[in-house]
Amino acid sequence: MLLLSLLLKAALLRLVNSYHPFYNGFYYNHVMNDDDNGHEKVFDFNGVRLVVETSKDPIYSFSTANVTLPCHYHHEPESEAKHKIRIKWSKLRDDYTKEQDVLVAIGKTYMAFGDFQGRAHLHRTGQREATLLISDVRLQDDGKYRCEVIDGLEDASDVVELRLRGIVFPYQPPRGQYSLNFHEAERVCQEQGALIATFHQLFQAWSEGLDWCNAGWLADGTVHYPIRLPRKPCGGVHLAPGIRSYGPRHRHLHRFDVFCFSSILRGEVFYLDHPTRMKLEEAKQACQDAGAEIAKVGHLYSAWKFHGLDRCDAGWLADGSVRYPIAKPRANCGPAEPGVRSFGFPRKGRFGVFCYKDR
């Protein structure tokens, strides 16, 4: 029986070497079978198991910062690597069906890919370390990352999550409520200096107090809305507070609002006024004359959230809307709660303007 088992493993090993079921930058595979519980059972070559470990807790950062995603590996029982160690970092997509290559390394040589070129580096301060350093963090860097280590035919991996500190805000375009399909929703968030929010980001915003009765797209193509105070028009008074869900929707045919996500700004938002106020085109020119650009909606929300921007004067924004941020509620400045107030998209009227200047 033992001889039969060894012959079977040898046959599987030849199969691994002759057929590559998938390619992820390196050719390799485990010899696997299923145990009685339906879980993968791995036969360790030479009785040695490769173990990869990352942080079990999310790593928090913000846009424009540098962040370190820890990853270490070892063998059980303890032994030295018999081959040149290969390392691969990948970013998991929201739908978990594909991966984006971040960096691959063999020995001391490594290469970063795509948007990570020039920003992703291996950080090795000790032996058996495969830590990833990302510089100039961007909004799209938020998400889960897989650290994969390959030693000959042995491979192992673990996942670490990078979460950006930011703010989620609901958005409707000038043409009104429920007018965006999924692809349009992605685009309008980008136009406002933001990205379409993930479910985790919406949940975090709800836990911090976001209450909004209009349904909006999220990054995975599902539609939700956050309710803190149950009421009849928002799912009924008998439902508990939470995230209401419409589930996945057709990305071309169905239309909703959208929830966008923005993080801490590199620059600053400031208010400009004029004795006679300004029309939209005049407001854009005033920002340019000040060495800046007219602010986007994401800029204003970020400045309000992270820099305490407080101004009880309405101002133009780049999308043609008129808004103002209130950090300290007071009389004649809207509701009793802090927030960004909106006058919508006035076709006529003269206002001040919020400008954004990068640093």
Side-chain angles (χ1 to χ4, degrees):
M1 183 62 69
L2 177 59
L3 178 60
L4 180 60
S5 177
L6 292 174
L7 289 174
L8 177 60
K9 290 182 183 180
L12 288 172
L13 182 56
R14 287 196 298 272
L15 180 62
V16 169
N17 288 329
S18 62
Y19 174 67
H20 308 297
F22 57 90
Y23 177 67
N24 71 344
F26 302 113
Y27 283 122
Y28 68 95
N29 201 353
H30 275 307
V31 177
M32 293 181 294
N33 205 337
D34 289 336
D35 60 21
D36 294 337
N37 296 319
H39 298 137
E40 288 183 348
K41 181 170 60 179
V42 179
F43 295 100
D44 301 317
F45 294 102
N46 301 320
V48 177
R49 185 166 71 97
L50 179 62
V51 178
V52 175
E53 296 176 327
T54 60
S55 172
K56 303 306 178 186
D57 297 321
I59 305 297
Y60 288 90
S61 188
F62 53 88
S63 59
T64 74
N66 298 333
V67 67
T68 299
L69 303 183
C71 181
H72 297 81
Y73 62 92
H74 64 274
H75 295 83
E76 294 180 354
E78 193 69 27
S79 66
E80 293 298 325
K82 296 182 178 180
H83 306 84
K84 187 173 287 188
I85 291 294
R86 294 173 288 177
I87 296 167
K88 178 176 181 181
W89 277 93
S90 304
K91 186 175 186 295
L92 303 182
R93 300 189 186 279
D94 291 329
D95 59 8
Y96 288 88
T97 58
K98 297 180 180 179
E99 293 184 349
Q100 175 187 359
D101 289 337
V102 175
L103 178 147
V104 295
I106 302 178
K108 295 181 179 180
T109 303
Y110 67 86
M111 177 182 294
F113 299 93
D115 292 338
F116 291 96
Q117 288 185 357
R119 299 194 302 122
H121 309 274
L122 275 186
H123 183 66
R124 291 174 168 172
T125 58
Q127 290 186 340
R128 300 173 184 176
E129 185 174 13
T131 295
L132 180 69
L133 174 64
I134 302 176
S135 59
D136 189 22
V137 170
R138 302 172 183 175
L139 286 176
Q140 58 266 34
D141 294 343
D142 184 276
K144 293 180 174 65
Y145 291 76
R146 172 176 289 134
C147 175
E148 194 167 11
V149 178
I150 303 100
D151 179 12
L153 288 173
E154 283 292 307
D155 71 274
S157 65
D158 200 3
V159 174
V160 59
E161 184 172 6
L162 171 61
R163 294 183 186 174
L164 297 192
R165 299 188 186 279
I167 181 170
V168 172
F169 59 93
Y171 188 80
Q172 292 179 4
R175 60 180 182 266
Q177 182 184 22
Y178 293 171
S179 59
L180 299 170
N181 66 28
F182 176 77
H183 305 289
E184 293 167 339
E186 284 188 310
R187 185 175 67 252
V188 299
C189 284
Q190 293 173 3
E191 290 171 350
Q192 301 316 312
L195 289 179
I196 188 169
T198 65
F199 179 83
H200 169 78
Q201 290 164 349
L202 181 65
F203 183 86
Q204 182 66 30
W206 169 79
S207 69
E208 295 174 358
L210 181 61
D211 183 286
W212 195 254
C213 198
N214 294 334
W217 290 104
L218 295 180
D220 61 356
T222 59
V223 175
H224 303 264
Y225 62 101
I227 296 298
R228 299 278 297 184
L229 179 64
R231 48 203 185 272
K232 188 174 181 180
C234 307
V237 297
H238 301 297
L239 288 179
I243 307 293
R244 312 284 192 249
S245 176
Y246 286 8
R249 292 297 180 177
H250 196 289
R251 299 189 179 201
H252 295 284
L253 300 180
H254 292 153
R255 294 184 175 273
F256 298 93
D257 295 340
V258 62
F259 291 100
C260 303
F261 174 81
S262 182
S263 187
I264 297 175
L265 298 174
R266 185 198 302 269
E268 63 173 335
V269 174
F270 58 94
Y271 182 81
L272 283 181
D273 202 356
H274 188 275
T276 61
R277 300 297 173 92
M278 294 169 280
K279 296 181 180 179
L280 177 58
E281 293 306 317
E282 295 171 335
K284 292 179 179 179
Q285 186 60 51
C287 288
Q288 292 179 11
D289 293 343
E293 63 179 296
I294 188 169
K296 301 174 181 179
V297 177
H299 294 155
L300 189 66
Y301 271 97
S302 293
W304 167 75
K305 170 77 171 181
F306 297 107
H307 300 289
L309 185 63
D310 184 284
R311 184 84 193 198
C312 195
D313 296 291
W316 289 107
L317 294 177
D319 65 339
S321 65
V322 174
R323 306 172 194 248
Y324 63 101
I326 296 298
K328 299 178 181 179
R330 51 199 181 275
N332 301 320
C333 294
E337 298 81 19
V340 175
R341 325 293 195 212
S342 176
F343 283 1
F345 298 85
R347 296 184 178 181
K348 298 180 180 180
R350 305 178 73 89
F351 303 91
V353 60
F354 289 99
C355 304
Y356 174 72
K357 187 172 184 177
D358 204 357
R359 293 175 181 171

